[in-house]
Amino acid sequence: MRSPQEKNTRLENMTWRIWNLARKKKELEKEEANRLLKRRLETERPRVETTSDMSEDLFEGEKGEDAGDPSVAYGDSTTGNTPRISSVDKLYIVLISLHGLVRGENMELGRDSDTGGQVKYVVELAKALSSCPGVYRIDLFTRQILAPNFDRSYGEPVEPLASTSFKNFKQERGENSGAYIIRIPFGPKDKYLAKEHLWPFIQEFVDGALSHIVKMSRAIGEEISCGHPAWPAVIHGHYASAGVAAALLSGALNVPMVFTGHFLGKDKLEELLKQGRQTREQINMTYKIMCRIEAEELALDASEIVIASTRQEIEEQWNLYDGFEVILARKLRARVKRGANCYGRYMPRMVIIPPGVEFGHMIHDFDMDGEEDGPSPASEDPSIWSEIMRFFTNPRKPMILAVARPYPEKNITTLVKAFGECRPLRELANLTLIMGNREAISKMHNMSAAVLTSVLTLIDEYDLYGQVAYPKRHKHSEVPDIYRLAVRTKGAFVNVPYFEQFGVTLIEAAMHGLPVIATKNGAPVEIHQVLDNGLLVDPHDQHAIADALYKLLSEKQLWSKCRENGLKNIHQFSWPEHCKNYLSRISTLGPRHPAFASNEDRIKAPIKGRKHVTVIAVDSVSKEDLIRIVRNSIEAARKENLSGSTGFVLSTSLTIGEIHSLLMSAGMLPTDFHAFICNSGSDLYYPSCTGDTPSNSRVTFALDRSYQSHIEYHWGGEGLRKYLVKWASSVVERRGRIEKQVIFEDPEHSSTYCLAFKVVNPNHLPPLKELQKLMRIQSLRCHALYNHGATRLSVIPIHASRSKALRYLSVRWGIELQNVVVLVGETGDSDYEELFGGLHKTVILKGEFNTSANRIHSVRRYPLQDVVALDSPNIIGIEGYGTDDMRSALKQLDIRAQ
């Protein structure tokens, strides 16, 4: 027994702790409010300016007539004649979904946080599209998984998918190659990776997928006898990581990109910050949220169409991003409609297409009043029914069904509390929780284990034994039977996460005639407007959840009306409807494809046919050291008997004139190289000699105009240049009352697709991420970077970069990226991180000859290791850059003569 003094001391300590925690929470809330206010002000000012600029010469009619039209507001007007895809067309469509366990049959939905509704959606989308007229082949790309404890089917490189049969499409389906899951190996071969850990390996996936798409396009071209490769009609990325991959593939092949975000990073970040459990740094460490948000911004930059499931997703979620704003989208769309100048600005079209549902499992053994149509006496109940009903003392009571993974945001514990604290509801109904599949809680992910432990604790606390079912496992094919059981008992489906992005389970429940109770936050609001088959509730209010469930289950007329409405309106969420809307949007995209397909022989490129390629992309050394590195690289290749088969590429931010002067001053010939990637990847040249003898020969540089046609996609041109000049005049160095401009236009080092600016004082440069944000707010789609030790700013097209130029060379001239070696320094220009990753090899030249890192790398959105696998076997470091050092590196990377 403690003395009264000890008790008072403990009570005083607890009081102080509670007060201190409350004070800290208020401080965090105040800091977060100030941060949001500052961000809103920073974003709104340039947006208001841009919107004002775009409004100056709008017709009066346009200002009013489009304001209430959501299709125009989002850039998705379907007025006019929409091209119709018929069986004569033969489209090749690429879908990408990188995370989770993806296979065509017996999907292990709920096995982990990454294998859920998105996996089911993309597989069913691939099957449904392959059944549509005019679609020749669907490839769904994902990651190949060879890790132990995972089924061997996830390691199969190719898996055919059974097409979905649609009655309306049977007669005009036409010739079809089908749908396939294509698994590309990337990342550690023997390890399954959660989506948060895929970022360093995205470029490796892109290189592998690019090789497959090129081969498949040529094969399809031969199959359908069209005389040329049948390039993808569209590349469609699902989720942020696949959005980056789709953007890179779209740029490499010059084909249209479509993006579906599924669950957006900014929305998740705001929700996590509101909860107050983690700081922004902790959230980023756990979820790599800044990589995810930047990937979604990049997807907005590169996409022609962004598919959303609801208007709420567009207006409340996408509107948080720098690269999209509803009002500006409407104004730009109005200008496009009447052919007015948009001054280089562009906004992707936002398209609302509700998710589809497979109707193959739709029940027919109940009439519209919920009565049985007399099942055959010989028919047996599905085995999953007994697996669930064994939990119940009275299995005849109506069953409340929840199907959700055991994650905090799914709000399962609030549902159990609502059920446990409402005695009338407990007496009326049973509760079934389908929370994925598990072997043992102790072996589960910490977050899932915590939720399940909380559920079991609540069941014990409220003494819900005999009233709650929580089976350990179920097959994907048994899910329709679980819905049928809930309908047979005249139960209800409940889905009350804090926020619902998609709501596929709500549509599945309606398809089976099961009334629903759903969260009022997110997609269910618009689903409810269409189906009108249940009630919406506040997911934070457990009493509201209990009252709604009791009302729906106790009022039989309400139950029957909700069931009838759901079955009557569910056709609007069918896959045929989804595919019809999807393909009608795809058909409006302008044709884009690799431009070199028709003029390969017009340029004589010395790099063509080279077995090996060495790319020198060292930015962190003096010009003298760069020349020595070049000489030693060529000498190392000669000594390894690789000189005849090796192509040399200089990849730099220098202009072609600067390169020519540098090489000539060092006594080298430009023809020692086989290609030049200039202006940070915005120009590509091939050198050649003219003349009969060395004495009268002259070096010329052939510009690859096909590459320019690849990168000109939504290039802002003169409108972008004018805005940048205006912005540069606002960047000043202040000394007392004196202001000095820091950044000036540099026409001498600019080109058609590279706007260069001279930096007088790098110490006063704004962080690159601020400039990129400003460009996106202005709807100017471009790639800004600092180079030359931050003494030059280059702004280039969104699909241009040194790494993208290398990928273009590989596709155009048939270079195997596995045989490419890229030399980099210890630091570099602000595109430094892009030079790592992929299938090529990277050699880091280390030593005191490297200039020290400058501030352009100290303001990254995320750490380098979040996006670069520095421990990859394809990345090695060597001390120095001597010939022997280079030879050692080539041997270490297994680059040898064949």
Side-chain angles (χ1 to χ4, degrees):
M1 296 292 292
R2 294 187 177 90
S3 67
Q5 184 176 355
E6 287 179 312
K7 289 183 179 179
N8 288 337
T9 302
R10 285 173 57 83
L11 183 60
E12 185 178 347
N13 289 338
M14 287 178 63
T15 303
W16 274 105
R17 286 182 64 189
I18 293 170
W19 177 84
N20 192 42
L21 287 170
R23 182 178 62 83
K24 285 185 176 179
K25 185 178 179 182
K26 284 185 178 179
E27 287 177 355
L28 286 172
E29 289 175 349
K30 186 177 179 180
E31 288 177 5
E32 182 62 18
N34 290 335
R35 183 189 66 79
L36 290 173
L37 178 61
K38 182 180 178 183
R39 190 184 75 179
R40 189 170 70 249
L41 292 173
E42 288 176 349
T43 302
E44 283 179 356
R45 184 179 298 172
R47 270 197 179 142
V48 168
E49 293 175 358
T50 307
T51 304
S52 176
D53 290 343
M54 292 297 101
S55 301
E56 286 176 359
D57 54 351
L58 277 175
F59 293 144
E60 283 301 313
E62 286 175 329
K63 290 183 180 179
E65 71 178 2
D66 294 338
D69 185 350
S71 67
V72 176
Y74 309 143
D76 183 35
S77 176
T78 54
T79 56
N81 295 323
T82 300
R84 182 177 180 272
I85 294 176
S86 69
S87 57
V88 178
D89 298 296
K90 290 180 171 57
L91 301 182
Y92 174 32
I93 295 175
V94 169
L95 309 177
I96 306 173
S97 183
L98 299 181
H99 64 260
L101 301 169
V102 182
R103 65 182 180 189
E105 304 296 334
N106 299 318
M107 286 180 270
E108 298 183 82
L109 302 179
R111 175 166 173 170
D112 68 349
S113 63
D114 293 347
T115 310
Q118 180 182 326
V119 169
K120 185 174 187 291
Y121 171 82
V122 293
V123 170
E124 291 189 354
L125 174 63
K127 292 179 178 180
L129 284 173
S130 69
S131 301
C132 296
V135 177
Y136 186 77
R137 180 180 172 109
I138 303 290
D139 277 346
L140 168 57
F141 285 83
T142 191
R143 182 172 181 244
Q144 185 184 49
I145 299 167
L146 300 172
N149 303 323
F150 289 89
D151 192 86
R152 286 187 295 179
S153 61
Y154 299 117
E156 292 295 326
V158 180
E159 178 187 345
L161 293 174
S163 298
T164 305
S165 297
F166 298 146
K167 292 180 180 179
N168 296 338
F169 289 163
K170 279 185 178 178
Q171 294 180 350
E172 55 171 337
R173 177 172 168 179
E175 188 179 1
N176 185 284
S177 178
Y180 302 84
I181 295 175
I182 308 298
R183 297 186 178 91
I184 303 296
F186 64 100
K189 292 184 179 180
D190 59 346
K191 191 176 181 181
Y192 174 73
L193 295 177
K195 59 180 176 288
E196 292 82 9
H197 302 295
L198 290 175
W199 298 107
F201 311 105
I202 298 295
Q203 295 214 49
E204 188 179 344
F205 163 80
V206 170
D207 290 344
L210 184 60
S211 175
H212 175 91
I213 292 171
V214 171
K215 292 175 183 175
M216 185 54 59
S217 297
R218 288 169 178 160
I220 294 174
E222 293 178 3
E223 288 176 16
I224 64 178
S225 303
C226 65
H228 55 78
W231 300 106
V234 72
I235 296 178
H236 186 168
H238 293 266
Y239 192 77
S241 53
V244 173
L248 293 173
L249 288 167
S250 169
L253 294 171
N254 193 32
V255 298
M257 173 187 165
V258 174
F259 181 60
T260 302
H262 291 275
F263 190 12
L264 299 182
K266 277 203 173 181
D267 197 62
K268 184 179 181 71
L269 176 61
E270 297 297 333
E271 182 65 34
L272 290 170
L273 288 172
K274 284 178 185 177
Q275 293 175 10
R277 298 171 188 166
Q278 294 176 296
T279 65
R280 181 178 290 266
E281 292 71 25
Q282 290 170 331
I283 292 170
N284 190 47
M285 189 175 297
T286 304
Y287 298 101
K288 302 295 185 288
I289 203 77
M290 300 314 296
C291 290
R292 180 168 161 184
I293 291 171
E294 178 60 23
E296 289 158 345
E297 291 280 14
L298 179 60
L300 279 174
D301 289 338
S303 295
E304 295 201 33
I305 291 176
V306 175
I307 294 178
S309 56
T310 64
R311 183 183 299 187
Q312 184 273 345
E313 181 183 342
I314 296 172
E315 295 179 348
E316 296 183 23
Q317 294 179 60
W318 277 118
N319 215 38
L320 293 172
Y321 285 76
D322 300 330
F324 180 77
E325 204 269 331
V326 171
I327 296 175
L328 182 56
R330 176 175 65 83
K331 293 183 181 295
L332 288 172
R333 182 64 175 172
R335 297 178 73 88
V336 170
K337 282 176 65 178
R338 63 183 179 87
N341 190 351
C342 290
Y343 306 106
R345 291 170 169 83
Y346 169 77
M347 197 80 77
R349 285 160 51 196
M350 289 282 172
V351 175
I352 300 173
I353 307 180
V357 172
E358 171 57 68
F359 281 11
H361 299 295
M362 194 167 180
I363 61 171
H364 300 286
D365 56 344
F366 291 84
D367 61 22
M368 292 297 281
D369 295 321
E371 301 296 333
E372 290 193 51
D373 283 343
S376 170
S379 63
E380 295 183 4
D381 291 339
S383 59
I384 191 66
W385 286 15
S386 59
E387 183 66 24
I388 292 172
M389 289 190 291
R390 68 185 177 89
F391 285 89
F392 300 136
T393 303
N394 182 3
R396 293 184 176 274
K397 291 197 295 185
M399 188 178 90
I400 299 168
L401 172 63
V403 180
R405 288 168 290 166
Y407 278 82
E409 58 267 25
K410 297 299 182 182
N411 203 25
I412 298 172
T413 52
T414 301
L415 172 61
V416 178
K417 288 178 183 177
F419 183 76
E421 293 185 11
C422 183
R423 182 169 291 277
L425 184 60
R426 289 169 56 178
E427 292 174 352
L428 175 65
N430 293 320
L431 175 63
T432 296
L433 304 173
I434 305 298
M435 300 178 287
N437 293 291
R438 64 186 183 277
E439 293 299 325
I441 295 177
S442 60
K443 297 180 180 179
M444 297 180 69
H445 186 277
N446 292 342
M447 209 175 292
S448 298
V451 172
L452 273 164
T453 302
S454 297
V455 168
L456 296 178
T457 301
L458 290 169
I459 290 172
D460 185 73
E461 181 180 333
Y462 295 118
D463 193 16
L464 299 178
Y465 298 105
Q467 295 176 287
V468 180
Y470 42 94
K472 291 185 70 170
R473 59 183 66 86
H474 66 281
K475 297 176 183 177
H476 173 59
S477 59
E478 293 175 324
V479 172
D481 293 326
I482 298 173
Y483 286 117
R484 290 180 60 226
L485 177 59
V487 175
R488 174 163 289 191
T489 62
K490 294 195 174 181
F493 181 78
V494 60
N495 178 31
V496 286
Y498 297 118
F499 183 88
E500 178 57 74
Q501 177 76 23
F502 224 45
V504 169
T505 53
L506 294 171
I507 299 170
E508 290 177 341
M511 180 184 74
H512 289 85
L514 188 60
V516 303
I517 301 294
T519 177
K520 68 175 186 178
N521 298 332
V525 175
E526 293 179 45
I527 293 175
H528 180 263
Q529 289 173 355
V530 175
L531 296 179
D532 190 21
N533 67 327
L535 304 172
L536 299 177
V537 295
D538 181 353
H540 298 276
D541 188 344
Q542 67 186 57
H543 299 295
I545 295 171
D547 292 346
L549 284 167
Y550 186 80
K551 178 181 177 67
L552 185 59
L553 295 177
S554 61
E555 298 181 15
K556 298 304 180 184
Q557 287 186 342
L558 175 62
W559 188 92
S560 297
K561 180 184 177 183
C562 289
R563 169 183 166 79
E564 181 179 342
N565 288 345
L567 290 171
K568 181 174 66 176
N569 299 318
I570 191 62
H571 70 277
Q572 297 186 53
F573 294 95
S574 68
W575 275 120
E577 190 72 16
H578 182 98
C579 292
K580 183 179 75 173
N581 290 332
Y582 181 92
L583 292 172
S584 69
R585 297 324 196 277
I586 298 304
S587 67
T588 63
L589 298 178
R592 288 172 56 204
H593 52 76
F596 54 76
S598 59
N599 63 352
E600 282 197 9
D601 296 324
R602 294 182 186 177
I603 292 180
K604 293 182 178 180
I607 198 168
K608 184 177 182 180
R610 299 286 169 171
K611 188 69 178 177
H612 306 279
V613 173
T614 297
V615 180
I616 300 169
V618 185
D619 310 313
S620 57
V621 299
S622 65
K623 292 182 178 180
E624 292 76 15
D625 282 322
L626 178 60
I627 289 296
R628 294 189 190 102
I629 290 169
V630 170
R631 292 185 190 277
N632 292 344
S633 300
I634 295 173
E635 181 64 16
R638 187 186 66 79
K639 289 187 176 182
E640 290 296 314
N641 296 318
L642 295 170
S643 57
S645 62
T646 300
F648 290 93
V649 178
L650 184 59
S651 181
T652 176
S653 57
L654 298 172
T655 65
I656 191 64
E658 290 175 306
I659 291 172
H660 190 196
S661 298
L662 175 66
L663 295 178
M664 296 303 289
S665 66
M668 297 186 67
L669 292 174
T671 49
D672 290 336
F673 286 90
H674 303 92
F676 294 103
I677 298 172
C678 314
N679 290 325
S680 299
S682 60
D683 287 314
L684 184 57
Y685 287 91
Y686 307 104
S688 62
C689 280
T690 60
D692 300 328
T693 63
S695 59
N696 67 354
S697 65
R698 185 171 62 88
V699 176
T700 60
F701 299 95
L703 177 64
D704 192 329
R705 299 194 182 280
S706 294
Y707 177 66
Q708 290 189 327
S709 71
H710 271 230
I711 66 173
E712 69 179 357
Y713 173 75
H714 291 141
W715 173 237
E718 183 62 16
L720 173 61
R721 188 195 69 80
K722 287 181 178 179
Y723 180 81
L724 286 169
V725 170
K726 178 182 175 182
W727 166 81
S729 66
S730 69
V731 181
V732 296
E733 174 188 355
R734 290 183 175 86
R735 292 182 179 177
R737 296 183 179 180
I738 301 174
E739 292 184 350
K740 292 179 63 178
Q741 189 171 335
V742 174
I743 303 175
F744 298 88
E745 186 179 9
D746 187 1
E748 180 185 352
H749 298 109
S750 297
S751 65
T752 306
Y753 296 100
C754 178
L755 301 175
F757 289 80
K758 183 180 179 181
V759 179
V760 176
N761 190 343
N763 293 324
H764 291 271
L765 274 178
L768 194 61
K769 61 184 180 182
E770 291 184 10
L771 175 56
Q772 194 69 57
K773 176 180 179 177
L774 187 61
M775 293 297 102
R776 285 170 172 156
I777 290 172
Q778 295 287 333
S779 296
L780 294 166
R781 309 298 172 177
C782 57
H783 186 191
L785 50 99
Y786 293 135
N787 45 50
H788 292 269
T791 61
R792 188 182 295 178
L793 165 67
S794 298
V795 180
I796 59 180
I798 192 64
H799 283 311
S801 74
R802 290 188 287 175
S803 63
K804 293 169 186 171
L806 177 58
R807 205 166 272 127
Y808 168 89
L809 286 173
S810 76
V811 174
R812 176 158 194 186
W813 305 115
I815 298 168
E816 294 289 338
L817 286 168
Q818 296 93 325
N819 297 329
V820 174
V821 178
V822 178
L823 306 181
V824 300
E826 290 186 275
T827 61
D829 296 345
S830 55
D831 62 348
Y832 181 68
E833 65 190 43
E834 298 178 24
L835 300 173
F836 295 85
L839 294 178
H840 69 261
K841 315 295 192 299
T842 303
V843 179
I844 305 173
L845 306 182
K846 300 180 178 181
E848 294 181 356
F849 52 86
N850 283 281
T851 56
S852 58
N854 53 50
R855 66 187 298 272
I856 64 175
H857 295 298
S858 63
V859 288
R860 293 182 185 276
R861 290 176 182 266
Y862 37 76
L864 182 63
Q865 57 269 24
D866 281 3
V867 292
V868 176
L870 294 172
D871 57 349
S872 167
N874 284 346
I875 301 175
I876 65 170
I878 61 173
E879 293 292 335
Y881 55 73
T883 302
D884 291 339
D885 300 320
M886 300 284 193
R887 292 180 65 189
S888 174
L890 292 175
K891 290 177 181 177
Q892 192 174 338
L893 293 170
D894 199 28
I895 303 295
R896 61 186 70 182
Q898 295 181 0

